[in-house]
């Protein structure tokens, strides 16, 4: 991950968010499949809390380009180390809500990524004219 | 870590729930069966679900911290219910014993109907998850369009 990359960190952040979305969907699907399994503990993917924490502490504004820079907190890092934790028996309503929420967030992120890429395309196409 | 795995998980849920519906239907159909091969009335069947890791042919490349955390489901066993048979006094029944008592299966129709609805809801939830996985996968195709 270099700073000179024309496809900047927003895109990388979105990409990570998308793969988290698909992972989150897997976790939810696993919970739904095991809804009637005795003793099964519902899994929950926790990354949003740590991501928010990093974002609020200004992780996105700081980019380390030099080894002597104060270690910047990487928002992407929070998403690359998601945790799966058990949280009691499966609750159908909770899982269905998470399913819908995750789905909307995923589609939102795809649209946003599409917009970002089309901006880049505009720069490429129109920049030299 | 892709939607194929998610679909495989939902698929495992679907087949497990279908098996559950099958067993429940068999119980309902045999609610009054007094004769079986073993000579006893029909014994209620119940099935055991177990959380299993999803079988992935390309598992090695997906090996991550999530391994073993996200699990599918599998019906591991269909077991007879060991509850007492129901007994009814009906001397006219061909299978009545000397005292006129007939032994009927240990099946409660209301209980089976409730299970049938549970299985059906569970199946629907898995269909919803599967459908979402499909839509998300299709949506991902639109990146960069």
């Amino acid at each position: 991950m270099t700073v000179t990359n024309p496809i900047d960190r927003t895109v990388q952040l979105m990409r990570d968010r998308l793969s988290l979305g698909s992972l989150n969907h897997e976790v939810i699907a696993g919970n739904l499949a095991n809804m009637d399994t005795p003793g099964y503990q519902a899994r929950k993917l926790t990354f949003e809390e740590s991501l928010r924490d990093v974002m609020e502490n200004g992780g996105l504004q700081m980019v380390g380009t030099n080894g002597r820079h104060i270690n910047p907190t990487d928002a992407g890092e929070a998403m690359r180390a998601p945790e799966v934790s058990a949280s009691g028996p499966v609750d159908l309503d909770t899982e269905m809500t998470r399913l819908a929420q995750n789905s909307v967030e995923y589609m939102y992120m795809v649209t946003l990524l599409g917009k970002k890429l089309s901006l880049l395309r505009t720069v490429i196409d129109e920049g030299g004219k | 870590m892709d939607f194929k795995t998610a679909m495989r998980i939902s698929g495992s849920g679907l087949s497990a729930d279908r098996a559950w519906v099958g067993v429940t239907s068999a119980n309902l159909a045999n609610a009054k069966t007094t004769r079986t091969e073993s000579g006893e009335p029909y014994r209620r069947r119940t099935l055991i679900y177990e959380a299993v890791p999803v079988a992935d042919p390309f598992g090695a490349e997906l090996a991550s911290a999530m391994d073993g955390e996200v699990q599918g489901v599998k019906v591991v066993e269909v077991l007879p219910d060991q509850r007492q048979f129901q007994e009814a006094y009906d001397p006219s029944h061909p299978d009545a014993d000397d005292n006129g008592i007939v032994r009927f299966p240990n099946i409660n129709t209301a209980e089976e109907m409730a299970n049938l609805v549970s299985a059906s809801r569970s199946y629907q939830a898995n269909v919803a998850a599967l459908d979402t996985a499909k839509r998300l996968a299709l949506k991902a195709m639109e990146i960069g369009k």
Side-chain angles (χ1 to χ4, degrees):
Chain A
M1 198 199 289
T2 56
V3 190
T4 49
N5 194 339
I7 300 179
D8 63 24
R9 301 191 58 198
T10 321
V11 175
Q12 285 163 356
L13 215 55
M14 286 179 185
R15 185 199 58 198
D16 289 345
R17 184 65 186 77
L18 279 176
S19 40
L20 268 183
S22 80
L23 180 62
N24 197 18
H25 181 82
E26 263 179 51
V27 171
I28 298 165
N31 284 343
L32 285 174
N34 282 293
M35 200 163 59
D36 301 300
T37 305
Y40 178 83
Q41 292 281 303
R43 264 72 160 171
K44 188 172 178 260
L45 197 62
T46 47
F47 59 90
E48 276 162 343
E49 289 82 356
S50 43
L51 177 65
R52 189 166 298 125
D53 189 43
V54 173
M55 299 280 268
E56 280 168 4
N57 290 328
L60 270 185
Q61 285 108 50
M62 275 176 72
V63 177
T65 52
N66 187 302
R68 279 173 298 175
H69 284 172
I70 298 166
N71 184 31
T73 323
D74 188 350
E77 225 34 67
M79 293 201 284
R80 244 162 268 131
E83 281 178 17
V84 177
S85 58
S87 58
V90 182
D91 180 69
L92 180 59
D93 299 314
T94 313
E95 297 304 330
M96 294 309 279
T97 314
R98 277 194 202 135
L99 184 72
Q101 192 186 348
N102 186 54
S103 160
V104 169
E105 280 171 10
Y106 189 90
M107 298 211 183
Y108 173 66
M109 208 45 73
V110 170
T111 312
L112 220 56
L113 187 52
K115 283 271 182 271
K116 179 76 192 171
L117 292 175
S118 86
L119 283 181
L120 282 172
R121 190 175 300 137
T122 308
V123 171
I124 294 165
D125 290 348
E126 308 291 329
K129 281 183 185 168
Chain B
M1 189 160 115
D2 58 358
F3 289 116
K4 271 191 293 178
T5 314
M7 286 183 184
R8 217 172 283 122
I9 293 170
S10 295
S12 75
L14 287 177
S15 57
D17 290 332
R18 189 175 285 278
W20 191 12
V21 169
V23 166
T24 311
S25 307
N27 286 342
L28 277 171
N30 285 294
K32 291 290 169 205
T33 304
T34 52
R35 291 179 196 178
T36 58
E37 279 177 10
S38 64
E40 282 185 320
Y42 178 86
R43 204 174 262 285
R44 180 178 180 268
R45 304 285 200 279
T46 178
L47 41 78
I48 309 291
Y49 277 13
E50 194 181 283
V52 288
V54 272
D56 194 322
F58 307 106
E61 68 167 290
L62 296 167
S64 68
M66 299 303 139
D67 263 12
E69 288 289 354
V70 182
Q71 293 176 310
V73 67
K74 193 181 161 195
V75 175
V76 282
E77 227 173 340
V78 177
L79 292 172
D81 186 331
Q82 295 302 333
R83 279 182 288 183
Q84 293 277 308
F85 288 121
Q86 292 175 28
E87 293 184 345
Y89 179 71
D90 183 3
S92 66
H93 198 288
D95 290 330
D97 63 11
D98 295 342
N99 301 319
I101 302 288
V102 190
R103 292 200 303 163
F104 283 109
N106 49 353
I107 291 170
N108 176 349
T109 318
E111 184 188 329
E112 298 307 322
M113 288 309 290
N115 282 341
L116 197 61
V117 174
S118 290
S120 158
R121 289 290 167 272
S122 182
Y123 192 88
Q124 283 170 348
N126 280 307
V127 169
L130 186 62
D131 191 48
T132 306
K134 191 184 75 185
R135 277 191 298 118
L136 295 188
L138 288 174
K139 187 72 184 174
M141 299 281 182
E142 289 176 22
I143 298 174
K145 226 182 204 178

